[in-house]
Amino acid sequence: MAGRVIAIDGPAASGKSSVSRGVAAALGWFFVSSGHFYRAIAWGTVRDQISSNSPDSLIAWIATRKLTLLEDEDPTKGVSLLLDGENASPHLSDSQVATTVSVIAAMPAVRDFINARLRALSENHDLVMEGRDIGSVVFPLTPWKFYLDASPEVRARRRASEGAIDTVSERDRLDSTRATAPLTVPPGAIVIDTTHLTLDQVIQTALEHLHLPELTTG
Ligand code: CDP
């Protein structure tokens, strides 16, 4: 791992994306939502009518997929994903994607495909990467790990206020109980309960734990 990585994991709507963007902006590091990668693949299965109930056809399908990463000049905007040349961004919040993503994310072939691309990003970037298994599986050796959580009521309310139709509790159940890379508090992670904190308070709390040269003044 050439670049440094801050891993931010946690359940759906715990604030990971907003906090990760804020931390990335404070440091000038590159923001990456690993969930976007899973959502892009989930959208591809919907587009190509690949059944998530058929692991064999999904394994054959993913082996021939071409995922292209387009980097924005602004590092905090992260990457856009093209699947077979088609921009996945407009589709990532589709309701069919929300219902499919945790099913396909449980498959080791999908995780291997995505993890290779997530790790490659660290070869030439300092990253703030958010997801479910970043500190536990993707970058287990990084010294900077956070786990964000919030009460189920607050998380459901946050997602509803974004206007998204989502299946937060069902995805949490699938993500926490799967055999491969389940959602868990990574060893050594700092746990932040965001239930009663503002976004700025969570970002400041995370920054205070980092002790990075970028953050020292004078
Ligand atoms: O934004 P939210 O936390 O609701 O979800 P997301 O980060 O966009 O992730 C969508 C889904 O992708 C999750 O519910 C997981 O099933 C899967 N995922 C995963 O398995 N591992 C990751 N590192 C990131 C996402």
Side-chain angles (χ1 to χ4, degrees):
M1 168 169 106
R4 296 166 289 176
V5 178
I6 297 170
I8 303 188
D9 291 302
S14 55
K16 300 184 302 294
S17 286
S18 312
V19 171
S20 301
R21 282 182 201 278
V23 170
L27 295 169
W29 289 20
F30 208 75
F31 162 74
V32 182
S33 162
S34 61
H36 285 183
F37 286 64
Y38 287 93
R39 287 174 181 270
I41 296 300
W43 165 68
T45 64
V46 174
R47 178 193 68 181
D48 296 351
Q49 297 183 311
I50 305 300
S51 169
S52 51
N53 297 323
S54 163
D56 286 347
S57 51
L58 200 131
I59 288 168
W61 173 82
I62 203 163
T64 52
R65 294 292 52 81
K66 186 163 161 31
L67 187 66
T68 312
L69 282 49
L70 292 185
E71 296 181 12
D72 198 284
E73 273 175 35
D74 175 353
T76 60
K77 293 226 169 92
V79 290
S80 300
L81 300 172
L82 305 187
L83 190 63
D84 309 310
E86 205 176 340
N87 191 356
S89 305
H91 311 287
L92 299 183
S93 301
D94 289 358
S95 58
Q96 269 178 301
V97 169
T99 50
T100 316
V101 63
S102 293
V103 179
I104 63 112
M107 298 183 183
V110 173
R111 306 202 72 81
D112 291 347
F113 179 90
I114 289 175
N115 286 347
R117 285 151 182 87
L118 297 177
R119 292 187 181 119
L121 276 168
S122 78
E123 284 163 19
N124 42 20
H125 295 290
D126 288 325
L127 303 175
V128 181
M129 187 178 287
E130 54 114 345
R132 300 293 187 288
D133 62 340
I134 307 308
S136 57
V137 173
V138 187
F139 294 107
L141 299 181
T142 184
W144 301 290
K145 300 180 189 182
F146 295 94
Y147 185 91
L148 304 189
D149 210 345
S151 71
E153 295 76 21
V154 164
R155 293 192 291 113
R157 214 180 306 141
R158 283 181 190 160
R159 193 44 51 98
S161 72
E162 292 164 6
I165 299 167
D166 203 345
T167 52
V168 168
S169 53
E170 176 61 2
R171 284 197 292 118
D172 283 351
R173 189 185 66 75
L174 291 170
D175 294 344
S176 306
T177 56
R178 67 187 175 213
T180 308
L183 172 65
T184 179
V185 181
I190 291 160
V191 179
I192 305 176
D193 183 342
T194 71
T195 306
H196 301 295
L197 298 179
T198 64
L199 173 58
D200 269 357
Q201 286 173 323
V202 183
I203 293 170
Q204 288 313 317
T205 305
L207 292 174
E208 280 160 20
H209 281 94
L210 289 169
H211 308 297
L212 286 164
E214 283 89 334
L215 297 169
T216 53
T217 49

